Amino acid sequence: MSSQPSPTSGQEGQFQRTMKARHLVMLSLGGVIGTGLFFNTGYIISTTGALGTLLAYLIGALVVYLVMLSLGELSVAMPETGAFHLYAARYLSPATGYTVAWLYWLTWTVALGSSLTAAGFCMQYWFPTVPVWIWCLLFCLIIFGLNVITTKVFAEGEFWFSLIKVVTILAFIILGAGAMVGLVPMQDGTPAPFLHNLTAGGWFPHGGLPILMTMVAVNFAFSGTELIGIAAGETAQPEKVVPIAIRTTVARLVIFFIGSVFVLAALIPMDQAGIVKSPFVAVFEKIGIPYAADIFNFVILTAILSAANSGLYASGRMLWSLANERTLPRAFARVNRRGIPMNALLISMVGGLLALLSSVIAPDTVFVALSAISGFAVVAVWLSICASHYVFRRRWLAEGNTAAALPYRAPWYPVTPILGFVLCVLACVGLAFDPSQRIALYCGLPFVALCYVAYYVTQRRAKTLTAAVSGEHHAG
């Protein structure tokens, strides 16, 4: 069912199946554990309150689980690099697949530029006299180098990047829980807060609407899990590895995110939370751990580089996939002898540098507008995954197959894709109620419309050229 040749090691023009389960899990966690968790959580606590934040993240975890189940069935049945935009093209419409690919490419390319800038700011903490752009350029070369050597080296680099974050978050949960109950003393000598801050402002101090308003922010914090679907085409034995990766990734996300949010909400009063400073740093300052700022600056730096690493991988593969489906020039579909789509990576890297440049030149216009699309785009991609899964299973059964014949079968069909779809739609609706996030709709909806128009214009032109060439051939 794959549109690409069966990859074998060492042959030009093919991806190599070198990723293992541990690589897939860490690739997914690396894409997820980043600025969304480290910074957005403060904004969500200040908007919805402690219990509202926990509820929002629990709903977000449910959405991720439903989307991943849908993606699991699709990616095991059709393990292709580029994954879900091909499923959208096949089971929804070619124009929808094209739009989904561009939305996802833009999301990661913009995130790449902002990540490089943030990494430069992290380094300035230690080296205040060195300009940010020098660090940006250095990290740009490192991330590009990790991606162009081989997929195996990329996956190994991402594995270690992510491992640092995972160990630190576990340490944060353990130390924070100790501070909650008084086992770890507070720096200013105040008594342990226990669960006081969770209910200090009432169960839901601003009502239930803020939970809906922050759902896209929560979903964006969880975004990156879908990288498992993109990497399925470069995974050995996807029918065994992908389901394991999905189960372990979702389980770890629930532990890391819900555990971290619970500790944060318990230790930081609602009126002190925000996004000016990472709430994780604020907690470490409260419990007075020596060198907390340096430790967390390093962790946030690795988190940013890890997200940039995953971002370049994702945007390059998505561009390759568009070209492989003949919607972009074939030059972007070429891969070298090591199975790396160099042209697609180069263009995606330029996109990241342009986003970085715009963050310096026009931070209040271009960069903010592009960044606002990211959360909307991720939710739109998840919508397409749920819809594709729903149509795929119906078509599979209509062709006389049985559900038991699927290599991996998502449970609770059709509830799984339908509930996932509805929750994603509700998250988009929530954007309309938040003035600070509404720009995502103002930018995202016209961008989607532009992608559909671009698809039909380019397809009409391609058909005209094909007809003209065919006419000349017959005339000759």
Side-chain angles (χ1 to χ4, degrees):
M1 297 180 76
S2 175
S3 62
Q4 69 182 75
S6 177
T8 50
S9 179
Q11 293 184 356
E12 188 167 357
Q14 298 171 355
F15 283 108
Q16 297 175 7
R17 295 187 184 273
T18 53
M19 289 206 192
K20 299 174 182 175
R22 70 184 179 92
H23 292 139
L24 265 193
V25 171
M26 282 301 183
L27 173 63
S28 185
L29 288 175
V32 176
I33 301 171
T35 52
L37 177 60
F38 288 132
F39 286 95
N40 279 25
T41 306
Y43 155 74
I44 297 167
I45 291 172
S46 66
T47 305
T48 66
L51 286 174
T53 302
L54 279 170
L55 184 57
Y57 270 101
L58 283 169
I59 295 170
L62 173 62
V63 174
V64 167
Y65 184 55
L66 295 171
V67 171
M68 292 300 289
L69 288 176
S70 292
L71 181 58
E73 182 171 313
L74 289 166
S75 60
V76 172
M78 298 162 284
E80 302 179 73
T81 296
F84 37 77
H85 98 89
L86 297 177
Y87 309 145
R90 191 173 298 167
Y91 296 106
L92 303 178
S93 76
T96 302
Y98 178 83
T99 302
V100 164
W102 274 117
L103 279 168
Y104 202 65
W105 180 82
L106 184 69
T107 298
W108 280 107
T109 304
V110 171
L112 179 61
S114 60
S115 295
L116 292 171
T117 307
F121 288 135
C122 282
M123 292 305 294
Q124 266 207 324
Y125 177 81
W126 291 306
F127 304 99
T129 58
V130 180
V132 171
W133 70 266
I134 290 178
W135 297 115
C136 290
L137 187 61
L138 175 64
F139 291 133
C140 187
L141 293 172
I142 290 171
I143 296 299
F144 189 72
L146 282 173
N147 270 268
V148 302
I149 299 169
T150 67
T151 301
K152 188 174 182 179
V153 170
F154 156 79
E156 204 64 36
E158 187 56 35
F159 176 82
W160 292 107
F161 269 146
S162 300
L163 190 61
I164 293 170
K165 289 190 286 189
V166 167
V167 169
T168 305
I169 286 175
L170 285 174
F172 170 81
I173 293 171
I174 292 167
L175 289 169
M180 277 171 55
V181 298
L183 294 176
V184 178
M186 294 298 218
Q187 188 180 30
D188 58 3
T190 54
F194 289 94
L195 303 180
H196 171 73
N197 288 327
L198 290 174
T199 55
W203 289 88
F204 301 104
H206 300 308
L209 184 59
I211 297 173
L212 180 65
M213 285 162 46
T214 56
M215 280 315 302
V216 163
V218 170
N219 288 340
F220 184 66
F222 278 120
S223 68
T225 46
E226 67 287 331
L227 283 169
I228 287 176
I230 285 188
E234 294 171 76
T235 303
Q237 296 183 300
E239 69 284 352
K240 293 181 181 178
V241 170
V242 171
I244 293 171
I246 287 172
R247 283 196 301 273
T248 53
T249 299
V250 172
R252 290 176 193 187
L253 282 179
V254 169
I255 294 169
F256 296 153
F257 274 69
I258 303 303
S260 298
V261 168
F262 182 77
V263 169
L264 287 171
L267 292 176
I268 302 177
M270 181 180 171
D271 58 353
Q272 294 179 22
I275 56 172
V276 177
K277 177 166 55 178
S278 170
F280 287 80
V281 175
V283 163
F284 272 123
E285 286 177 349
K286 275 179 173 291
I287 59 180
I289 292 178
Y291 306 109
D294 290 287
I295 293 167
F296 241 82
N297 196 54
F298 173 73
V299 171
I300 290 172
L301 175 64
T302 59
I304 289 165
L305 292 177
S306 173
N309 198 27
S310 297
L312 182 57
Y313 175 88
S315 53
R317 263 52 176 187
M318 197 56 78
L319 208 57
W320 172 89
S321 195
L322 278 169
N324 194 51
E325 295 297 300
R326 308 295 176 97
T327 49
L328 280 181
R330 292 291 292 168
F332 296 121
R334 293 197 191 111
V335 297
N336 63 19
R337 288 188 175 275
R338 294 190 300 274
I340 308 298
M342 284 293 292
N343 293 339
L345 283 176
L346 279 168
I347 294 298
S348 296
M349 198 77 236
V350 169
L353 290 172
L354 287 174
L356 186 156
L357 193 63
S358 72
S359 71
V360 176
I361 295 171
D364 296 321
T365 53
V366 181
F367 186 75
V368 172
L370 288 176
S371 297
I373 292 172
S374 293
F376 172 84
V378 166
V379 176
V381 169
W382 290 1
L383 280 168
S384 77
I385 290 170
C386 293
S388 299
H389 174 224
Y390 179 78
V391 177
F392 164 74
R393 178 76 76 90
R394 288 193 66 181
R395 197 175 295 178
W396 174 268
L397 296 174
E399 289 169 355
N401 301 301
T402 62
L406 286 164
Y408 171 73
R409 186 171 73 252
W412 313 305
Y413 181 90
V415 173
T416 297
I418 292 173
L419 183 57
F421 188 91
V422 169
L423 289 173
C424 286
V425 170
L426 283 175
C428 292
V429 170
L431 287 173
F433 294 96
D434 187 352
S436 65
Q437 294 189 90
R438 209 173 286 153
I439 191 171
L441 292 178
Y442 295 151
C443 297
L445 293 174
F447 183 80
V448 168
L450 181 65
C451 286
Y452 274 96
V453 170
Y455 176 80
Y456 287 114
V457 169
T458 54
Q459 286 303 103
R460 187 175 297 144
R461 187 177 299 161
K463 286 176 183 175
T464 303
L465 285 171
T466 303
V469 170
S470 179
E472 286 175 12
H473 177 73
H474 287 302

